[in-house]
Amino acid sequence: MTTLTNIPQATTTEDGSTVKRALILPGGGLRLSYAAGAISEIFAHDIDFQIMDGTSGGSLNLAMLLSGLPIDEICERWRTLNMMDTISLRSLKDCMNEPHFVAAGSAEAFRKKVFPHLGIDVARIKEAEGVQATFNVCNFSTKMNEVIRHQDITEDFLIAGISLPGTLPPVHINGTTYLDSGFIQDANLLDPIKKGANELWLIWIMGNLPQYRSGLLNLYVQMLEMSANGALNKEILQIEEINQRILNGETVYGHTQPIKLHLIKPAHPLPLDSALYTGQITHTRLIEMGRADAKNYFEQRQPQGVLLKPSTLKMTKQSPGIFFKETMAGGFWLNTTDPKEGRKTGNRAGTELAMHAEVNIDDIDKFIDQPDHPGHLIGSIDFQPLGFGIKAYNGVFNLFNPTDNPDMKLMIYELAFVHNNEDYYLAGKKEVHDGPFFDLWDDTTTLYTQLYKGKDKSGEVIGAGILTLGVKDLIKLVSTIEVTNKQLETDTVATVSKFGKFFIGELWDTYVMHIN
């Protein structure tokens, strides 16, 4: 029997009012790892839920939670999901037989590979205690959304809930045909309200741009976006109307206090599922994006929640970004705090640390405009005393970050990782000085690095060294450069050009313009 420790009874506030929270998990293709990252941040703030509701792909995260998986394990299962395991195509004959065409794929991959990998256990879902949980499916006979209690869930209902028309075939259950509810509504806000929820936490993934995009895939996606955003906006306005009635003295669905909505969403539409299959985006990156957007929401959160207006769901078009891989290695030694001493001792003892960094700059224009020029960093660590291939899923990257010294800027590389259930934090910096031009190579390829015990630089320094980037490594770095979020083929040349001009411009200002 699964008991959800994050799901206590309703909370009583200092003023004596009762807060009953609902976690709303809508769909978004297979980009649900974004929601997992957001959930991990919500849970880190000790926010508890008495009601949970899942629609479309969101039902996968709900199923994992109800199967008893901790949120960290849910994130890890998303990270390690092989996207090719999600595909099971119907025969070419079936697909080409137009009068009888139903869907391009079948559900076998989800039944046999995806559900087991994600740890979805129907028996445990049905037995879960401490929460009112519901799943949404489309009843094709009535063309209406149907709510399934978690105690009544079956594998067939889970499959039906993710069977978008044309992608997976409909599922027949007890003589009724069921499909994904995404084209009816992608988030069910009113049902939790009717069950007593007065504080809703919604993680929204579907894109919402004013620009109409061309292309067959975009046309299908935009139909979903119109349906999903339209239905959600309708419910948001209904909640606004309910709140107004409550303020006028009515009791609506048992509520005497206005209902709050907290919304976590990306500022720009997430890359489509196709980017997951081609490797242009990873579940690791999506998890960190969800976590970062949730952190940002908590920093700006208003007690009354978000405005109950359609404009709340709007997103902006994202500029193309840059992705590249960089490997730096060098002598490193434990039990020292001085990078130079660590390199010397490490080289003498043959102890080397390698940082394999993956840098993602989401928006090249925003990156250039911001003074600290931030990006996202993940990667892995090789260090014999600790191990090889240690994954780091959270990091900090800044390029030409200003310092208190006007003659020096920093390139910052920091990675947090866990080894043997212990937290470590590897922090490195390249010091770009105002100086002779021939110092340029050393300054831009030398990373002074310290290893901290703990989750950040507030911990004890337990090791140090200097990592460097060799000529071969630089050539390899250049070969890994990719342009992300591009809309047109011309975006590739334009984006790389912008990044190159910025990088060369900073070096020019430092090493040439400052020559006396």
Side-chain angles (χ1 to χ4, degrees):
M1 185 173 295
T2 304
T3 301
L4 302 181
T5 56
N6 292 71
I7 319 295
Q9 296 301 310
T11 303
T12 302
T13 63
E14 292 181 359
D15 62 4
S17 60
T18 299
V19 177
K20 191 172 185 179
R21 298 188 183 94
L23 178 64
I24 313 295
L25 301 174
L30 283 170
R31 301 166 293 177
L32 282 309
S33 45
Y34 173 91
I39 294 168
S40 69
E41 184 63 24
I42 293 173
F43 284 1
H45 283 75
D46 295 325
I47 293 179
D48 305 307
F49 298 95
Q50 293 75 44
I51 296 173
M52 291 184 177
D53 185 85
T55 306
S56 190
S59 62
L60 298 179
N61 279 323
L62 177 56
M64 294 165 79
L65 287 168
L66 296 178
S67 295
L69 275 62
I71 188 57
D72 288 345
E73 184 177 343
I74 290 174
C75 290
E76 184 61 24
R77 286 177 181 261
W78 278 116
R79 286 190 189 102
T80 54
L81 175 66
N82 183 344
M83 289 302 296
M84 301 311 295
D85 285 345
T86 67
I87 299 175
S88 51
L89 298 176
R90 299 174 68 85
S91 70
L92 182 61
K93 179 180 178 181
D94 288 342
C95 290
M96 296 299 291
N97 192 0
E98 187 174 338
H100 302 288
F101 176 81
V102 177
S106 77
E108 288 307 297
F110 281 88
R111 292 183 189 272
K112 295 180 179 180
K113 295 181 180 180
V114 178
F115 282 8
H117 176 83
L118 295 181
I120 293 173
D121 186 327
V122 172
R124 298 192 72 185
I125 294 171
K126 294 165 74 77
E127 295 176 353
E129 294 182 344
V131 62
Q132 292 176 277
T134 45
F135 296 82
N136 296 276
V137 293
C138 167
N139 183 322
F140 190 74
S141 298
T142 63
K143 307 299 187 295
M144 295 180 67
N145 184 72
E146 189 170 314
V147 178
I148 310 296
R149 300 186 317 150
H150 75 274
Q151 294 92 340
D152 301 322
I153 201 66
T154 64
E155 185 178 272
D156 281 347
F157 273 128
L158 288 176
I159 292 294
I162 59 172
S163 295
L164 279 172
T167 60
L168 297 180
V171 180
H172 306 288
I173 304 172
N174 298 327
T176 302
T177 300
Y178 290 97
L179 286 160
D180 190 319
S181 268
F183 277 105
I184 296 176
Q185 62 180 88
D186 202 32
N188 191 344
L189 305 186
L190 289 182
D191 191 68
I193 289 173
K194 293 175 182 179
K195 288 183 170 70
N198 53 15
E199 184 174 301
L200 311 180
W201 285 77
L202 169 66
I203 303 172
W204 190 242
I205 296 175
M206 295 298 290
N208 188 4
L209 288 176
Q211 296 88 3
Y212 193 80
R213 307 179 299 283
S214 61
L216 287 176
L217 179 59
N218 281 331
L219 292 178
Y220 185 83
V221 170
Q222 285 171 158
M223 286 190 289
L224 268 172
E225 290 173 350
M226 286 188 291
S227 299
N229 284 285
L232 180 56
N233 277 326
K234 182 178 179 180
E235 288 207 330
I236 286 175
L237 291 176
Q238 285 179 286
I239 296 171
E240 172 70 2
E241 181 184 354
I242 289 170
N243 284 348
Q244 190 58 54
R245 290 167 59 190
I246 291 171
L247 291 174
N248 290 337
E250 286 188 56
T251 297
V252 185
Y253 300 126
H255 295 285
T256 58
Q257 295 294 322
I259 295 153
K260 301 176 183 179
L261 173 64
H262 296 286
L263 173 67
I264 295 168
K265 69 176 182 65
H268 318 291
L270 297 176
L272 299 178
D273 278 8
S274 55
L276 279 168
Y277 287 102
T278 60
Q280 292 177 314
I281 191 75
T282 65
H283 286 297
T284 295
R285 178 74 192 100
L286 287 170
I287 289 167
E288 294 310 316
M289 291 172 70
R291 184 177 285 121
D293 286 338
K295 285 183 179 179
N296 184 60
Y297 182 76
F298 277 104
E299 290 173 359
Q300 304 179 24
R301 177 173 53 152
Q302 300 297 315
Q304 71 275 16
V306 299
L307 289 175
L308 297 173
K309 305 291 183 184
S311 58
T312 300
L313 297 181
K314 286 185 177 181
M315 298 178 184
T316 56
K317 186 177 179 181
Q318 185 174 18
S319 297
I322 288 281
F323 169 86
F324 61 88
K325 296 180 181 180
E326 183 175 358
T327 294
M328 293 168 283
F332 203 92
W333 193 249
L334 296 175
N335 302 317
T336 182
T337 61
D338 180 21
K340 293 181 180 179
E341 179 64 29
R343 175 176 64 175
K344 180 180 178 181
T345 307
N347 285 339
R348 189 167 57 239
T351 304
E352 182 180 85
L353 185 145
M355 173 193 287
H356 306 284
E358 297 181 13
V359 178
N360 200 313
I361 297 167
D362 292 331
D363 185 322
I364 190 65
D365 293 329
K366 186 176 179 181
F367 169 80
I368 292 172
D369 290 341
Q370 290 183 297
D372 56 344
H373 312 300
H376 304 279
L377 185 67
I378 60 173
S380 62
I381 306 295
D382 292 335
F383 184 44
Q384 186 173 2
L386 296 181
F388 296 90
I390 304 172
K391 296 293 184 181
Y393 298 118
N394 186 26
V396 174
F397 173 81
N398 297 95
L399 195 60
F400 300 115
N401 190 24
T403 68
D404 293 336
N405 181 353
D407 295 328
M408 184 173 72
K409 295 181 180 180
L410 300 178
M411 299 183 185
I412 297 172
Y413 297 73
E414 298 178 359
L415 285 174
F417 63 95
V418 177
H419 175 66
N420 287 341
N421 296 320
E422 295 282 352
D423 290 306
Y424 295 91
Y425 197 82
L426 188 69
K429 60 183 179 181
K430 298 176 183 178
E431 298 178 349
V432 182
H433 299 89
D434 170 17
F437 186 76
F438 51 76
D439 286 346
L440 183 153
W441 176 259
D442 284 341
D443 287 356
T444 56
T445 61
T446 302
L447 190 73
Y448 297 92
T449 311
Q450 293 177 308
L451 180 64
Y452 295 81
K453 189 71 174 294
K455 294 184 177 181
D456 52 38
K457 290 188 289 187
S458 65
E460 175 190 4
V461 178
I462 61 170
I466 296 177
L467 313 185
T468 59
L469 180 76
V471 175
K472 291 183 179 180
D473 294 320
L474 178 60
I475 294 172
K476 187 175 181 181
L477 182 158
V478 173
S479 71
T480 66
I481 292 176
E482 297 178 16
V483 174
T484 59
N485 311 318
K486 60 183 179 181
Q487 305 295 320
L488 304 170
E489 285 305 317
T490 53
D491 287 343
T492 299
V493 174
T495 304
V496 173
S497 177
K498 283 182 182 180
F499 183 73
K501 286 179 180 178
F502 163 74
F503 192 87
I504 298 299
E506 288 288 335
L507 296 180
W508 180 272
D509 289 345
T510 300
Y511 294 100
V512 178
M513 296 303 291
H514 288 174
I515 294 177
N516 294 324

